């Protein structure tokens, strides 16, 4: 029985797995450990080329299996009431921690990363990573006791002789875990073998002594067949303890035991002493292992790795590397790793070369050559050869916008050609095919954009912009104003905005940050109306209250109220705030630079403001968002450079746009509509992050009005570009000239409309604003990327009308052809929603269970199908809505030149009266009207395809009722009945 527990298994007979002894050598002091590290570095030859080497994964799997069996055996023994050793208790109580360590090893050491680690060329660990040999030595000479400072000194000493790569430094924690798990496995084996030996000794003693009512057996019978096998220490000790001071009849067994021990060169007293020593050592080792596993999980490995990184030592004193945030420092290190792998230079030589090249660039930062515009020239200088897997991404970056548009056009042609070909096989006339192709062009482009964007983001990957850490808060030279444009409408809404301004401050209280409400009165027929002054006084009182509560900043008052008077607008024929939000920010920029002719009534502002963070009234900033945005804007690689000829920012960024995330549905506003359409796959296309593609592929994002801008660069790029009362949607326009970047790793949270009528009104406003950009789109001043973005917005506004027209045209065909064409149009609508679900079919994480994955996948499928169904149901109304917005805008642009600044804020829309069913039908009358028109057309053509058309027509007629149903507020928590069982459970939990 004992012998079956001793082998480690045929898969692991090679050194160092051919021993069950603990990984324990002479314990070293810190100084002696440093000396050992230097001698170890000198004695460890490394293989010349990167290879997969010998795998640690096989041994890790074996160790996991052995530890699980040991845990179950120990738990079984405890369940049977048998005694266990202290080491076994440590393993039993902390097995969950061991499982966690094994999971982390698997997650953090994928095959590709393992292959990159330099392998030892000789010694007992030949073929294994060099860093594993370092971890093994550290564990052996500390008896598995982890101390971060000692480890730092050990690694530092090793690198005095032989530098480690950046990848190896990050692998120190992983290989330490591997070594600790290996050592714990050996201890667990000894625990299991010892327990089996003691059980065997107990069984033999029971037979000799005749316990439990059984007669004692003769000594000769019991000991027969045991003359040759060596005695395990635990077996001998247990037998000695059981037989001493017992009946003299068993004395021959003790004599036999003494003779066997003597033959092994030991005595009973010696074997008892040695076994207790071994158990004590095992107890200490297991305790150290478990404690070290906990400590390793608690260590800030990023800080420890940077403290021993020779690359950091090179970059820190010669540049602003130390002032950057961790993500940026890691970007630089990753770039150095990649360049070293593709060239004949070491990582240290790459770092030195980047510093040598730094004085020759305007940015004066090594990152310019590592991750920015100087990268290609630097690659050529060091002889870098890009790996094959990076060629597609490099090709996409090289062909730029033209290649992207070409890919969209090619995919759209293929998507459109498929249904047209199928229809041609059904003898549809060429004229009809031409009409259908023309109507299906925009839906096919929709599908192509979804496919190409998915492919680009998957291939290129997310881009993280570099940033400064600003650990001590925002300094005076980066003084920033957080500005929230609002309308003074009601006292309650004003109090809410003052509270939100305070929350913005509490989220980022450190340093030179000021917070301002940029307020206008609502539009009026007269310059002043009753209640104006009362609202301003209330706003001023609220701001004064915040200043008393939180005190001033170094630059002056922390909180500001900047209110503007109304001015007469001839286009609107009303008194309004000049140029609405665009004018508000333009005047704020001028005010910050000393202008005295603005329409602000209270123009006192802090001096030296460099940046402005502008937020919508319903935008929320998570903690540290402001500081991180300022840090990114202030990084040398992101600082804007204005071209004097074109007056555009051509390098760096004048504006940074954070990622915008819809808020979670809350309380009465958490409708079904909001829950479905604010999901990651269901955000309205006007707010969706197609800018991710532009940023990752072309280096520019899309500004949507929430972000940070450089006051001087922003104003210089936009000054004099827009005539009064002509521009409604100004964000994309401003981002085009000031060059917007997407800070994809920073997010702000924005409320998503909970009612369909509010969301539809917002879409109508956005569409009017997009089409008002038509004069600039047709003009010569726009750069190509900006023109493409604006055209793409126009294309999206035409999607619903084009899809509706394509469906109706298809229903004039024979039934089978109508079904094919309808399937094509519906698939273009559903594709953008279903693509994330299709991409999630294969789980990305290996640890997830199949049941959990299928459950999550089913939920995603339900959401996608529900979303697609609602999009189809609302299609007719969306087509009417977009057509109305486009027609109104073209009429105002080309004919009336009136009402070009018509705008209703999101807050005003949200507080509008809730519609009943009749109200929804009045509000959405265009949808049912178009449905009836479609039905008339199908009937007029006497088409046999009415069974295909009927479900769509009925859904469009019912769309107002569907909109109302999805817009209903759920029961809030206070109204949910609490059962007696729930009440008792909550009471018990409270106690």
């Amino acid at each position: 029985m004992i012998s079956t527990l001793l082998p480690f298994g045929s898969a692991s007979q090679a050194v160092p797995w051919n021993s069950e002894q603990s990984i324990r050598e002479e314990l070293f002091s810190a100084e002696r450990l440093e000396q050992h590290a230097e001698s170890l570095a000198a004695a460890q030859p490394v293989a010349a080329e990167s290879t997969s080497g010998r795998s640690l994964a096989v041994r890790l799997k074996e160790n996991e299996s052995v530890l699980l069996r040991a845990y179950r055996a120990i738990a079984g023994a405890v369940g049977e009431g048998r005694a266990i050793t202290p080491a076994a208790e440590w393993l039993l109580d902390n097995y969950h921690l061991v499982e966690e360590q094994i999971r982390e090893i698997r997650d953090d050491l994928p095959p590709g990363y393992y292959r990159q680690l330099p392998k030892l060329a000789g010694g007992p660990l030949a073929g294994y990573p060099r860093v594993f040999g370092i971890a093994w030595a550290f564990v052996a000479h500390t008896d598995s006791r982890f101390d971060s400072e000692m480890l730092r000194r050990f690694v530092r000493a090793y690198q005095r002789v032989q530098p480690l790569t950046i990848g190896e430094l990050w692998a120190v924690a992983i290989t330490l875990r591997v070594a600790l798990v290996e050592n714990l496995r050996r201890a667990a084996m000894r625990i299991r073998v010892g327990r089996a030996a003691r059980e065997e000794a107990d069984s033999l003693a029971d037979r000799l002594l005749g316990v439990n009512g059984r007669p004692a057996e003769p000594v000769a019978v019991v000991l027969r067949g045991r003359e040759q096998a060596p005695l395990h220490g635990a077996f001998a000790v247990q037998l000695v303890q059981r037989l001493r001071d017992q009946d003299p009849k068993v004395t021959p067994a003790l004599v036999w035991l003494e003779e066997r021990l003597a033959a092994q060169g030991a005595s009973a007293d010696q074997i008892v002493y040695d076994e207790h020593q071994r158990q004590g050592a095992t107890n200490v080792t297991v305790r150290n292992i478990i404690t070290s596993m906990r400590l390793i999980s608690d260590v800030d490995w990023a800080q420890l790795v940077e403290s021993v990184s020779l690359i950091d030592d090179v970059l820190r004193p010669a540049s602003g590397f130390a002032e950057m945030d961790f993500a940026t420092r890691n970007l630089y290190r990753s770039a150095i790793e990649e360049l070293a792998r593709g060239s004949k230079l070491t990582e240290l030589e790459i770092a030195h070369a980047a510093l040598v090249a730094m004085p020759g660039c305007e940015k004066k930062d090594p990152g310019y050559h590592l991750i920015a515009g100087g990268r290609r020239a630097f690659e050529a200088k060091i002889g870098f050869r890009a790996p094959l897997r990076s060629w597609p991404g490099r090709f996409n970056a090289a062909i730029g916008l033209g290649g992207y548009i070409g890919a969209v056009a090619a995919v759209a042609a293929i998507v459109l050609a498929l249904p047209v070909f199928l229809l041609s096989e059904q003898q549809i006339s060429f004229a009809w095919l031409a009409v259908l192709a023309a109507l299906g062009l925009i839906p096919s482009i929709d599908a192509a954009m979804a496919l190409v964007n998915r492919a680009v983001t998957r291939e290129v990957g997310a881009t993280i912009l570099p940033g400064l850490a600003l650990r001590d808060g925002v300094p005076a030279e980066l003084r920033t104003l957080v500005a929230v444009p609002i309308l003074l409408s009601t006292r309650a809404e004003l109090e809410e905005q003052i509270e939100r301004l305070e929350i913005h401050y509490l989220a980022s209280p450190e340093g030179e940050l000021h917070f301002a409400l940029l307020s206008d009165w609502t539009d009026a027929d007269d310059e002043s109306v009753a209640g104006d002054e009362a609202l301003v006084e209330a706003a001023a009182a609220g701001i004064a209250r915040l200043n008393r509560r939180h005190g001033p900043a170094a630059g002056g008052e922390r909180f500001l109220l900047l209110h503007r008077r109304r001015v007469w607008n001839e286009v609107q024929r009303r008194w309004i705030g000049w140029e609405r939000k665009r004018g508000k920010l333009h005047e704020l920029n001028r005010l910050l630079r000393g202008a005295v002719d603005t329409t602000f009534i209270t123009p006192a502002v802090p001096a030296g403001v460099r940046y402005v963070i502008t937020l919508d009234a319903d935008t929320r900033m998570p903690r540290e968002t402001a500081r991180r945005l300022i840090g990114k804007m202030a990084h040398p690689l992101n600082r804007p450079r204005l071209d004097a000829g074109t007056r555009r920012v051509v390098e760096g960024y004048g504006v940074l746009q954070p990622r915008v995330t819809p808020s979670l549905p809350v309380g009465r506003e958490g409708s079904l509509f909001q829950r479905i359409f604010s999901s990651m796959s269901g955000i309205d296309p006007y707010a969706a992050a197609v800018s991710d593609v532009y940023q990752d592929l072309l280096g520019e994002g899309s500004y949507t009005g929430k972000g940070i801008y450089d006051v001087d660069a922003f104003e210089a790029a936009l000054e004099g570009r827009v005539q009064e009362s002509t521009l409604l949607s100004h964000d994309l326009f401003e981002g085009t000239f000031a060059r917007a970047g997407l800070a994809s790793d920073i997010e702000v949270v924005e409320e998503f409309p909970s009612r369909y009528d509010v969301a539809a009104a917002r879409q109508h406003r956005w569409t009017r604003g997009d089409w008002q950009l038509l004069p600039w789109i047709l003009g010569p001043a726009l750069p190509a990327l900006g023109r493409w973005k604006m055209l793409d917005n126009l294309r999206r506004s035409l999607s619903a009308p084009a899809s509706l027209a394509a469906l109706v045209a298809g229903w004039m065909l024979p039934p089978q052809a109508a079904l094919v064409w309808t399937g094509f149009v519906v698939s273009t609508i559903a594709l953008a929603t279903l693509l994330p679900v299709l991409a999630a079919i294969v789980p990305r994480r290996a640890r997830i269970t199949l049941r959990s994955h299928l459950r999550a996948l089913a939920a995603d499928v339900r959401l996608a199908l529900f979303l697609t169904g609602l999009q189809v149901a609302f299609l007719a109304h969306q087509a009417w809505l977009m057509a109305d917005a486009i027609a109104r805008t073209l009429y105002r642009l080309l004919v009336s030149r009136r009402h070009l600044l018509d705008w209703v804020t999101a807050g005003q829309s949200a507080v509008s009266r809730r519609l009943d069913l009749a109200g929804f039908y009045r509000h959405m009358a265009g949808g049912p009207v178009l449905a009836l028109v479609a039905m008339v057309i199908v009937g007029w053509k006497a088409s046999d395809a009415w069974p295909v058309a009927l479900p769509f027509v009925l859904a469009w007629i019912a769309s107002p009722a569907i909109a109302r149903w999805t817009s209903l507020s759920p029961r809030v928590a206070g109204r949910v009945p609490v059962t007696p069982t729930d009440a008792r459970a909550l009471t018990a939990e409270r106690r």
Side-chain angles (χ1 to χ4, degrees):
M1 178 178 178
I2 300 174
S3 59
T4 62
L5 297 175
L6 291 174
F8 288 108
S10 58
S12 301
Q13 292 302 314
V15 175
W17 315 129
N18 57 357
S19 173
E20 67 166 311
Q21 298 302 315
S22 290
I23 304 174
R24 187 194 305 120
E25 303 293 341
E26 179 186 354
L27 293 180
F28 287 162
S29 64
E31 292 76 15
R32 180 69 182 88
L33 201 60
E34 288 181 293
Q35 296 172 4
H36 181 66
E38 293 176 352
S39 61
L40 186 67
Q44 284 188 325
V46 178
E49 296 183 0
S50 176
T51 62
S52 57
R54 300 163 73 177
S55 175
L56 289 171
V58 174
R59 182 61 174 188
L60 182 66
K61 188 174 183 179
E62 287 183 15
N63 289 348
E64 183 181 29
S65 178
V66 168
L67 289 169
L68 179 60
R69 289 198 300 269
Y71 167 75
R72 288 174 175 171
I74 295 169
V78 171
E80 295 170 4
R82 287 179 286 173
I84 59 173
T85 62
E89 288 186 21
W90 274 94
L91 179 59
L92 182 66
D93 293 342
N94 295 279
Y95 183 72
H96 65 282
L97 177 63
V98 179
E99 288 182 308
E100 179 184 338
Q101 302 298 307
I102 294 173
R103 284 196 298 268
E104 290 193 22
I105 293 170
R106 288 205 176 101
D107 289 346
D108 296 342
L109 196 61
Y113 178 31
Y114 186 80
R115 180 181 178 83
Q116 293 172 4
L117 296 175
K119 307 301 188 300
L120 292 172
L125 292 172
Y128 291 101
R130 170 173 59 179
V131 66
F132 180 56
I134 296 173
W136 186 286
F138 182 80
V139 168
H141 291 287
T142 58
D143 193 13
S144 302
R145 188 176 65 85
F146 176 79
D147 181 276
S148 59
E149 177 59 23
M150 191 172 288
L151 176 66
R152 190 190 65 79
R153 293 175 61 176
F154 184 72
V155 175
R156 273 282 184 188
Y158 188 98
Q159 292 190 101
R160 287 199 286 267
V161 177
Q162 194 171 166
L164 297 173
T165 66
I166 297 171
E168 286 180 296
L169 294 179
W170 286 111
V172 168
I174 306 169
T175 50
L176 274 176
R177 288 186 170 103
V178 173
L180 290 174
V181 169
E182 169 66 26
N183 212 9
L184 185 61
R185 171 239 172 90
R186 298 181 181 206
M189 287 294 297
R190 291 196 300 276
I191 292 170
R192 287 192 63 204
V193 170
R195 190 180 60 79
R198 286 190 293 274
E199 289 179 357
E200 193 169 0
D202 283 335
S203 176
L204 188 147
D206 289 345
R207 293 172 62 191
L208 289 172
L209 298 174
V211 298
N212 298 326
R214 294 165 49 189
E217 299 180 37
V219 173
V221 173
V222 174
L223 300 180
R224 185 181 300 141
R226 296 183 175 274
E227 288 78 9
Q228 301 301 324
L231 297 181
H232 192 278
F235 173 87
V237 170
Q238 186 71 6
L239 193 59
V240 167
Q241 291 176 345
R242 287 291 305 276
L243 297 184
R244 275 183 176 172
D245 303 323
Q246 297 294 331
D247 193 313
K249 293 180 180 179
V250 300
T251 299
L254 283 173
V255 173
W256 171 85
L257 182 59
E258 291 283 359
E259 292 174 351
R260 292 299 313 282
L261 291 175
Q264 295 178 201
S267 64
D269 291 339
Q270 184 64 41
I271 201 71
V272 169
Y273 176 80
D274 291 344
E275 182 62 21
H276 286 169
Q277 286 289 101
R278 279 193 292 271
Q279 285 190 19
T282 300
N283 294 342
V284 171
T285 298
V286 172
R287 181 194 64 197
N288 287 347
I289 291 171
I290 298 298
T291 303
S292 295
M293 286 180 173
R294 292 188 183 279
L295 292 174
I296 287 174
S297 297
D298 293 338
V299 164
D300 184 347
W301 282 100
Q303 182 180 10
L304 194 150
V305 166
E306 290 188 322
S307 71
V308 298
S309 170
L310 300 183
I311 300 298
D312 287 48
D313 292 348
V314 170
L315 296 179
R316 273 195 208 103
S319 67
F321 184 76
E323 305 304 318
M324 300 174 193
D325 59 28
F326 173 76
T328 304
R329 299 196 300 273
N330 209 40
L331 274 178
Y332 284 28
R333 285 190 292 262
S334 298
I336 290 172
E337 282 186 282
E338 182 183 2
L339 291 169
R341 285 196 296 268
S343 69
K344 295 181 180 180
L345 302 182
T346 66
E347 292 176 352
L348 283 172
E349 290 169 337
I350 296 291
H352 283 293
L355 291 177
V356 169
M358 188 174 67
C361 70
E362 183 181 346
K363 296 294 185 180
K364 297 295 184 292
D365 185 86
Y368 179 75
H369 303 286
L370 298 175
I371 63 172
R375 169 72 181 245
R376 291 302 172 89
F378 188 65
E379 288 178 350
K381 181 179 179 180
I382 65 175
F384 174 77
R385 298 186 63 181
L388 287 175
R389 65 178 180 275
S390 69
W391 286 12
R394 286 172 167 262
F395 176 75
N396 289 333
I399 60 178
L401 178 62
Y404 173 72
I405 296 174
V408 171
V411 174
I414 294 172
V415 170
L416 183 59
L418 290 175
V420 171
F421 173 76
L422 292 176
L423 293 180
S424 68
E425 294 293 306
Q426 299 185 32
Q427 308 305 315
I428 304 299
S429 68
F430 178 79
W432 259 116
L433 291 177
V435 170
L436 292 174
L439 294 175
L441 179 61
I442 289 181
S444 66
I445 294 176
D446 291 344
M449 291 285 285
L451 291 170
V452 172
N453 288 350
R454 170 67 61 170
V456 168
T457 53
R458 184 180 182 89
E459 180 63 36
V460 178
T463 299
I464 297 178
L465 298 180
L468 302 181
L470 304 182
R471 299 178 185 88
D472 299 324
V474 180
E477 62 270 19
L478 301 179
R479 182 170 291 138
T480 300
L481 178 68
V482 178
V484 183
I486 65 168
L487 288 179
L488 298 182
S489 54
T490 66
R491 184 70 176 265
E493 187 176 348
L494 174 59
E495 289 298 330
E496 182 181 353
Q497 291 303 325
I498 292 173
E499 181 182 353
R500 287 191 177 186
L501 194 69
E502 183 178 23
I503 293 173
H504 291 326
Y505 162 73
L506 294 174
S508 301
E510 302 91 356
E512 291 298 309
L513 274 171
H514 298 261
F515 302 83
L517 291 180
L518 306 185
S519 61
D520 283 337
W521 284 306
T522 55
D523 298 359
D525 295 327
D526 297 306
E527 185 174 5
S528 61
V529 297
D532 283 353
E533 295 303 323
L535 284 173
V536 172
E537 290 173 3
I543 293 297
R545 184 171 66 248
L546 294 183
N547 280 318
R548 287 193 301 272
R549 182 179 301 164
H550 299 289
E557 295 288 353
R558 177 80 66 181
F559 299 93
L560 307 169
L561 174 66
L562 300 176
H563 181 74
R564 300 195 304 170
R565 67 177 184 272
R566 294 188 184 97
V567 297
W568 175 254
N569 186 280
E570 187 62 29
V571 171
Q572 295 299 115
R573 295 294 182 92
R574 303 198 79 191
W575 293 84
I576 68 172
W578 182 75
E579 290 294 296
R580 301 203 185 281
K581 179 183 174 183
R582 185 186 74 83
K584 202 178 297 188
L585 292 176
H586 174 59
E587 288 198 295
L588 172 65
N589 297 337
R590 295 184 62 242
L591 184 64
L592 292 172
R593 292 300 174 258
V596 295
D597 58 346
T598 68
T599 62
F600 284 108
I601 298 173
T602 53
V605 292
V609 172
R610 182 171 177 179
Y611 302 125
V612 170
I613 296 176
T614 176
L615 305 172
D616 286 344
D618 60 348
T619 306
R620 306 171 194 172
M621 281 199 307
R623 186 169 177 80
E624 302 298 333
T625 296
R627 180 181 58 80
R628 295 181 63 202
L629 281 172
I630 297 166
K632 286 193 180 292
M633 280 296 290
H635 190 278
L637 298 183
N638 295 331
R639 291 171 190 166
R641 182 172 68 84
L642 195 76
D643 181 83
T646 61
R647 291 197 302 118
R648 287 194 295 111
V649 175
V650 294
E651 192 176 15
Y653 301 102
V655 183
L656 282 184
Q657 165 77 46
R659 185 176 74 251
V660 180
T661 302
S663 62
L664 294 174
V666 178
R668 291 184 57 83
E669 296 302 316
S671 66
L672 180 63
F673 174 82
Q674 185 184 39
R675 294 173 190 275
I676 292 175
F677 278 82
S678 66
S679 65
M680 290 307 292
S681 59
I683 301 174
D684 187 275
Y686 279 86
V690 293
S691 54
D692 287 355
V693 175
Y694 298 139
Q695 180 69 56
D696 300 339
L697 187 63
L698 306 172
E700 290 189 37
S702 295
Y703 182 47
T704 62
K706 292 162 281 290
I708 183 173
Y709 63 83
D710 183 293
V711 173
D712 294 325
F714 191 85
E715 196 60 23
L718 293 166
E719 186 178 7
R721 291 195 182 272
V722 181
Q723 295 181 358
E724 287 191 23
S725 304
T726 57
L727 188 62
L728 187 60
S729 289
H730 51 91
D731 303 326
L732 182 58
F733 182 89
E734 292 165 343
T736 296
F737 289 98
R739 196 166 191 264
L742 175 70
S744 59
D745 56 335
I746 303 177
E747 72 171 351
V748 294
V749 179
E750 186 177 62
E751 293 182 8
F752 190 89
S754 62
R755 292 154 42 194
Y756 176 78
D757 58 310
V758 175
R762 184 171 73 163
Q763 284 182 303
H764 193 275
R765 294 194 303 272
W766 286 344
T767 302
R768 287 192 290 108
D770 291 335
W771 281 87
Q772 273 185 225
L773 291 170
L774 200 58
W776 285 276
I777 295 175
L778 300 177
L782 279 179
L785 180 56
R787 195 185 311 275
W788 166 256
K789 291 178 183 178
M790 294 177 189
L791 285 171
D792 187 46
N793 281 349
L794 302 191
R795 186 268 311 167
R796 284 187 287 183
S797 68
L798 292 170
S799 292
S803 297
L804 180 71
L807 283 173
V808 175
W811 295 336
M812 299 180 191
L813 302 174
Q816 188 172 356
L819 188 61
V820 170
W821 185 253
T822 300
F824 158 70
V825 176
V826 172
S827 66
T828 62
I829 297 172
L831 187 61
T833 301
L834 293 175
L835 271 179
V837 179
L838 296 175
I841 290 178
V842 178
R844 297 181 182 179
R845 294 185 300 169
R847 288 183 349 208
I848 191 170
T849 64
L850 180 61
R851 181 178 179 182
S852 297
H853 174 67
L854 292 178
R855 185 166 56 245
L857 186 63
D860 290 342
V861 170
R862 286 195 301 271
L863 177 64
L865 293 178
F866 211 136
L867 177 59
T868 301
L870 290 179
Q871 288 174 331
V872 171
F874 296 147
L875 181 64
H877 179 254
Q878 286 288 308
W880 179 280
L881 191 73
M882 296 298 100
D884 179 81
I886 295 168
R888 283 175 188 264
T889 304
L890 293 178
Y891 175 76
R892 292 170 180 177
L893 275 176
L894 304 176
V895 181
S896 73
R897 305 297 299 174
R898 301 290 183 190
H899 303 292
L900 290 174
L901 295 184
D902 272 3
W903 192 263
V904 179
T905 67
Q908 289 173 309
S909 298
V911 299
S912 61
R913 184 175 61 87
R914 285 184 172 271
L915 301 176
D916 55 12
L917 182 59
F920 266 98
Y921 267 94
R922 286 193 302 271
H923 186 76
M924 299 175 60
V929 167
L930 288 180
L932 294 175
V933 171
M935 190 166 59
V936 168
I937 291 174
V938 173
W940 170 67
K941 287 290 294 183
S943 173
D944 294 332
W946 64 266
V948 179
L950 187 60
F952 292 87
V953 171
L954 293 178
W956 295 339
I957 292 174
S959 60
I962 297 173
R964 181 179 183 275
W965 171 62
T966 57
S967 301
L968 291 175
S969 298
R971 290 185 301 176
V972 295
R975 296 183 180 179
V976 176
V978 179
T979 66
T981 303
D982 290 340
R984 287 193 296 270
L986 290 172
T987 302
E989 183 67 24
R990 182 190 64 187
R991 292 172 180 168

